[in-house]
Amino acid sequence: MATDTLTGPTIVGSATRAKVYKNFIDGEWVESVSGQTFENLNPADTRDLVGIFQRSVKADVDAAIAAAKRAYAKWRLVPAPRRAEIIYRAAEMLIERKEDYSRDMTREMGKVLKETRGDVQEAIDTAYYFAGEGRRLFGPTTPSELPNKFAMAIRQPLGVCGMIAPWNFPMAIPSWKLLPALVCGNTCVIKPAQDTPLSTYNLVKVLSDAGVPKGVVNIVSGFGADAGAPMLEHPDVRAISFTGSSSVGRTIGTTAAQSFKHCSLELGGKNPMIVLDDANLDLAIEGGLWGAFGTTGQRCTATSRIIVQKGVYSEFIERYVERAKQLKVGNGLDESIDMGPAINERQLISDLKYVEIGQSEGARLKCGGHRLDSGDLRHGFFMEPTVFVDVNPKMRIAQEEIFGPVVSIIPCDDLEDAIEIANNIEYGLSSALYTRDVNKAFAAMRDLYAGITYINAPTIGAEVHLPFGGTKATGNGHREGGLGAIEFYSEWKAVYVDYSDRLQKAQIDRVD
Ligand code: NAP
Ligand code: MG
């Protein structure tokens, strides 16, 4: 049996050879104390076993937190520019391994290679950005109200941070959490989604290879209730960063609040794209296809509602549907494929259920709606790109996050009407407007109540140095990306240095 320190023995089954991947705790690759594992399957072809992962339990999480707590004592004292150098090295290693990691990601979660390359690239961009921040953890100095007294505010790390990630951006999202946390001097325990542990594992491996000291980053794979929940109540965890659904997010936030943990929630979306009569229609159609069907519609920022002004409504639908029908669905490892599978069977069933719901609500199914299961596709969770038209904004398909390749096209009278439809929703993550009228663009930038607005681009395409997150049920006010992440992973300490050699009383010693 082949062994290596990273993965342990290779299991040779009758039809498959799959690596066993371990947890990384205190700088060691270790098995779960549960003795149990789970399989990571390729959703494009479930005959392909991507790997076998540890099914961790509370004792594993506790061990990881204890290691992170020990490591924190030293890591917080490493100068931030030195911490940043390690992150910079990780970026360079990610570049070298980009193609392998992209292929791993396509195998474990199905999105097409050009998108998984983008996901790994996002981790690289994030690493370069936060490496730069290592020399920029600025705080204010400000005049004191008293003479011979110096006042400033410095950023302090929080301590051990617990992180729980979703499966749709399995390297990018963990990088948004781990890298700013590390540069600020925190130590981390991360639980990846059960559907995509390998990509997060690859990121942690890079960090370890780049020189992150033992115990500073720990990964514990497993299911949410077993390997995620124990972080939420643990007294030694000071912050929780969660990305996932709004329903799980509500539980996470409520539980973490009991022990006053800092808690960042990045949750669901139901993102509108508005197309006005004066829009460049070619551009809007192109953007609307990419926004709705990229990542099989499984992006929190996916374009799931297209709100089109009446003057171009018919033409938009005709041309959009024509193009949607031409999208090639299949295994994302094939470079000619446009759209991969749903992440798992449960998600596919849910997507198909929404097709039924839309039809029963009276929306017009213009294309798609079926599972694709001919030939090799029957081994995966494939579905046609699906377009509903004449959707009423109150319908469930226009209100609920589907998280699949199902888009609702809604007619509107004008910009004001479109904004009303766009905002009248539980979520507030991303939004988009296609117009050539600068006045309308600026009005929409002001009035769309969402964390992100694109003008003449679809609802997807965030860059790592800008704030990422949303309003209402999309989150609790924090932002990932850019300086928002530094804000979350540090806390302020105000420092006063009195060099007057006498007791000075703030607010009381005044010369009136
Ligand atoms: P999810 O079902 O909420 O799961 C997210 C993570 O939470 C997974 O790691 C999951 O573990 C874990 N989890 C589940 N129940 C838990 C519990 N009781 N305690 C602790 N952890 C628990 O979401 P998902 O299906 O992975 O991702 C899709 C959702 O994420 C969509 O709603 C999407 O909009 C949202 N999302 C938001 C953003 C954003 O930044 N706003 C970005 C991407 C995705 P297991 O999977 O192992 O059970
Ligand atoms: Mg998988």
Short mmCIF file of all heavy atoms in Angstrom, two decimals, residues 437-459:
data_model
loop_
_atom_site.label_atom_id
_atom_site.label_comp_id
_atom_site.label_asym_id
_atom_site.label_seq_id
_atom_site.Cartn_x
_atom_site.Cartn_y
_atom_site.Cartn_z
N ASP A 437 -27.95 55.15 -20.10
CA ASP A 437 -28.31 56.46 -19.55
C ASP A 437 -27.63 56.65 -18.19
O ASP A 437 -27.98 55.99 -17.21
CB ASP A 437 -29.84 56.50 -19.41
CG ASP A 437 -30.35 57.84 -18.92
OD1 ASP A 437 -29.59 58.55 -18.23
OD2 ASP A 437 -31.52 58.17 -19.22
N VAL A 438 -26.69 57.56 -18.16
CA VAL A 438 -25.90 57.72 -16.93
C VAL A 438 -26.77 58.19 -15.76
O VAL A 438 -26.53 57.82 -14.61
CB VAL A 438 -24.69 58.67 -17.18
CG1 VAL A 438 -25.15 60.10 -17.39
CG2 VAL A 438 -23.69 58.59 -16.05
N ASN A 439 -27.80 58.95 -16.03
CA ASN A 439 -28.67 59.41 -14.94
C ASN A 439 -29.36 58.22 -14.28
O ASN A 439 -29.46 58.12 -13.06
CB ASN A 439 -29.73 60.38 -15.46
CG ASN A 439 -29.11 61.66 -16.01
OD1 ASN A 439 -27.90 61.85 -15.91
ND2 ASN A 439 -29.93 62.51 -16.59
N LYS A 440 -29.85 57.33 -15.13
CA LYS A 440 -30.54 56.15 -14.59
C LYS A 440 -29.55 55.26 -13.84
O LYS A 440 -29.88 54.67 -12.81
CB LYS A 440 -31.23 55.38 -15.73
CG LYS A 440 -32.42 56.15 -16.25
CD LYS A 440 -33.17 55.41 -17.30
CE LYS A 440 -34.42 56.21 -17.66
NZ LYS A 440 -34.78 56.12 -19.06
N ALA A 441 -28.36 55.14 -14.38
CA ALA A 441 -27.35 54.30 -13.72
C ALA A 441 -27.07 54.82 -12.31
O ALA A 441 -27.04 54.05 -11.35
CB ALA A 441 -26.06 54.28 -14.54
N PHE A 442 -26.91 56.12 -12.18
CA PHE A 442 -26.60 56.66 -10.85
C PHE A 442 -27.78 56.55 -9.90
O PHE A 442 -27.61 56.30 -8.70
CB PHE A 442 -26.07 58.09 -10.95
CG PHE A 442 -24.57 58.11 -11.10
CD1 PHE A 442 -23.98 57.97 -12.34
CD2 PHE A 442 -23.75 58.21 -9.98
CE1 PHE A 442 -22.59 57.94 -12.48
CE2 PHE A 442 -22.37 58.17 -10.11
CZ PHE A 442 -21.78 58.04 -11.37
N ALA A 443 -28.99 56.70 -10.42
CA ALA A 443 -30.16 56.54 -9.56
C ALA A 443 -30.23 55.10 -9.04
O ALA A 443 -30.51 54.86 -7.86
CB ALA A 443 -31.43 56.90 -10.34
N ALA A 444 -29.94 54.15 -9.92
CA ALA A 444 -29.99 52.73 -9.51
C ALA A 444 -28.88 52.42 -8.51
O ALA A 444 -29.09 51.68 -7.55
CB ALA A 444 -29.86 51.83 -10.74
N MET A 445 -27.69 52.99 -8.72
CA MET A 445 -26.59 52.76 -7.78
C MET A 445 -26.98 53.22 -6.38
O MET A 445 -26.58 52.62 -5.38
CB MET A 445 -25.34 53.53 -8.26
CG MET A 445 -24.62 52.83 -9.40
SD MET A 445 -23.69 53.94 -10.47
CE MET A 445 -22.63 54.79 -9.33
N ARG A 446 -27.79 54.25 -6.33
CA ARG A 446 -28.24 54.77 -5.04
C ARG A 446 -29.40 53.94 -4.49
O ARG A 446 -29.46 53.69 -3.28
CB ARG A 446 -28.68 56.23 -5.22
CG ARG A 446 -29.14 56.92 -3.96
CD ARG A 446 -29.83 58.23 -4.30
NE ARG A 446 -30.99 57.99 -5.16
CZ ARG A 446 -31.51 58.91 -6.00
NH1 ARG A 446 -30.97 60.10 -6.10
NH2 ARG A 446 -32.55 58.61 -6.74
N ASP A 447 -30.31 53.50 -5.34
CA ASP A 447 -31.60 52.99 -4.84
C ASP A 447 -31.71 51.47 -4.76
O ASP A 447 -32.62 50.97 -4.09
CB ASP A 447 -32.75 53.52 -5.71
CG ASP A 447 -32.88 55.03 -5.58
OD1 ASP A 447 -32.40 55.57 -4.54
OD2 ASP A 447 -33.44 55.67 -6.49
N LEU A 448 -30.88 50.74 -5.47
CA LEU A 448 -30.94 49.28 -5.33
C LEU A 448 -30.41 48.93 -3.94
O LEU A 448 -29.26 49.27 -3.61
CB LEU A 448 -30.12 48.59 -6.42
CG LEU A 448 -30.77 48.59 -7.80
CD1 LEU A 448 -29.76 48.19 -8.89
CD2 LEU A 448 -31.97 47.63 -7.84
N TYR A 449 -31.23 48.26 -3.13
CA TYR A 449 -30.83 48.00 -1.75
C TYR A 449 -30.14 46.63 -1.69
O TYR A 449 -30.75 45.61 -1.41
CB TYR A 449 -32.04 48.05 -0.82
CG TYR A 449 -31.67 47.93 0.64
CD1 TYR A 449 -30.55 48.59 1.14
CD2 TYR A 449 -32.42 47.16 1.51
CE1 TYR A 449 -30.19 48.48 2.47
CE2 TYR A 449 -32.07 47.03 2.85
CZ TYR A 449 -30.95 47.70 3.32
OH TYR A 449 -30.59 47.57 4.64
N ALA A 450 -28.84 46.65 -2.00
CA ALA A 450 -28.06 45.42 -2.07
C ALA A 450 -26.61 45.77 -1.75
O ALA A 450 -26.22 46.94 -1.81
CB ALA A 450 -28.16 44.81 -3.47
N GLY A 451 -25.82 44.76 -1.42
CA GLY A 451 -24.42 45.00 -1.10
C GLY A 451 -23.55 45.26 -2.32
O GLY A 451 -22.45 45.80 -2.21
N ILE A 452 -24.04 44.87 -3.49
CA ILE A 452 -23.26 45.01 -4.72
C ILE A 452 -24.19 45.45 -5.85
O ILE A 452 -25.29 44.91 -5.99
CB ILE A 452 -22.61 43.66 -5.13
CG1 ILE A 452 -21.80 43.06 -3.96
CG2 ILE A 452 -21.73 43.82 -6.36
CD1 ILE A 452 -21.36 41.62 -4.19
N THR A 453 -23.75 46.43 -6.65
CA THR A 453 -24.49 46.80 -7.86
C THR A 453 -23.51 46.87 -9.03
O THR A 453 -22.44 47.49 -8.92
CB THR A 453 -25.19 48.16 -7.68
OG1 THR A 453 -26.21 48.03 -6.69
CG2 THR A 453 -25.84 48.62 -8.99
N TYR A 454 -23.87 46.22 -10.11
CA TYR A 454 -23.07 46.29 -11.34
C TYR A 454 -23.84 47.11 -12.36
O TYR A 454 -25.06 46.96 -12.50
CB TYR A 454 -22.87 44.90 -11.94
CG TYR A 454 -22.02 43.96 -11.11
CD1 TYR A 454 -22.59 43.15 -10.14
CD2 TYR A 454 -20.64 43.88 -11.31
CE1 TYR A 454 -21.81 42.28 -9.38
CE2 TYR A 454 -19.86 43.01 -10.57
CZ TYR A 454 -20.46 42.21 -9.61
OH TYR A 454 -19.68 41.34 -8.87
N ILE A 455 -23.14 47.95 -13.08
CA ILE A 455 -23.74 48.66 -14.21
C ILE A 455 -23.15 48.05 -15.48
O ILE A 455 -21.92 47.99 -15.64
CB ILE A 455 -23.43 50.18 -14.15
CG1 ILE A 455 -23.91 50.77 -12.81
CG2 ILE A 455 -24.04 50.90 -15.35
CD1 ILE A 455 -25.39 50.72 -12.54
N ASN A 456 -24.04 47.60 -16.35
CA ASN A 456 -23.64 46.97 -17.62
C ASN A 456 -22.73 45.76 -17.44
O ASN A 456 -21.80 45.54 -18.23
CB ASN A 456 -23.02 48.01 -18.57
CG ASN A 456 -24.06 49.03 -19.00
OD1 ASN A 456 -25.24 48.68 -19.17
ND2 ASN A 456 -23.66 50.27 -19.16
N ALA A 457 -23.00 45.02 -16.40
CA ALA A 457 -22.34 43.72 -16.16
C ALA A 457 -23.32 42.91 -15.33
O ALA A 457 -24.16 43.49 -14.64
CB ALA A 457 -21.03 43.92 -15.42
N PRO A 458 -23.22 41.58 -15.40
CA PRO A 458 -24.19 40.78 -14.65
C PRO A 458 -23.93 40.79 -13.15
O PRO A 458 -22.98 41.43 -12.70
CB PRO A 458 -24.00 39.37 -15.24
CG PRO A 458 -22.61 39.35 -15.74
CD PRO A 458 -22.30 40.75 -16.19
N THR A 459 -24.73 40.06 -12.38
CA THR A 459 -24.65 40.16 -10.92
C THR A 459 -23.45 39.40 -10.35
O THR A 459 -23.27 39.40 -9.13
CB THR A 459 -25.93 39.59 -10.29
OG1 THR A 459 -26.10 38.23 -10.75
CG2 THR A 459 -27.16 40.40 -10.67
#
